[in-house]
Amino acid sequence: MRPSILKSLKPDIIVEMLEMAFHFENWDKLLNTSDILYSYAQYIYEERQYFKAKRLPVPHVNMARPLVYYYGFSHLMRGIACQKQGQYDQAREYIDKYAELGWMEDLGEEGMQIVEEFRFLARANGYALDIQSGKTERMAEYVAFLKKNPEELLPGIDTILQAALWHGLNVDDLLDTFAEQAAEFGEYEDAGINSGSPVGE
């Protein structure tokens, strides 16, 4: 994609398009649009580095969030698209990419917070990917993670149920363990605490 086209893109509109593709489970669209967001973030980052190296004022870009968010979100959505299509090795590559975004320069306090959020999501999604791809020996570790992080409980139960169907597991005891915790989470959701964002998927 030409630089002039990339610079004209509105990253927050692309994020909305990605969220829509996610909710409609259009995985090909999710992957293609994620590639566009990644190309945008990469171009803007390289442009900033170029201007800094030349000791020139860095051009202002109109974004609602720090650049690291768009970089991480593009990898997150790419990983989800691959995981949903059963392309587990590729999904793992994308998880590894948003697991550590601290290499980006000029993050600032808000940027570092976003880095930590993506690091957490990479851990959650890494567990889910392992369980879905048949590495059921990590189930106990995943369950412990879910108990400590109730915001991941509902997608976690979905992951466990899928793994049970695909790999012939008996997870009745696990579901009993989570029953009370899931009921409490339902109360939070009713109160409007759950945002319904795909970021934690």
Side-chain angles (χ1 to χ4, degrees), residues 10-27:
K10 307 295 183 190
D12 298 291
I13 292 175
I14 301 174
V15 167
E16 290 177 11
M17 291 170 62
L18 286 168
E19 290 173 343
M20 189 176 299
F22 172 85
H23 288 298
F24 283 105
E25 300 185 0
N26 188 338
W27 309 129

Side-chain angles (χ1 to χ4, degrees), residues 2 4 25 28 45 60 97 104 127 170 175 179:
R2 294 200 308 270
S4 59
E25 300 185 0
D28 289 334
Y45 185 73
H60 173 73
K97 286 180 179 179
M104 294 186 75
Y127 279 130
N170 185 336
L175 296 179

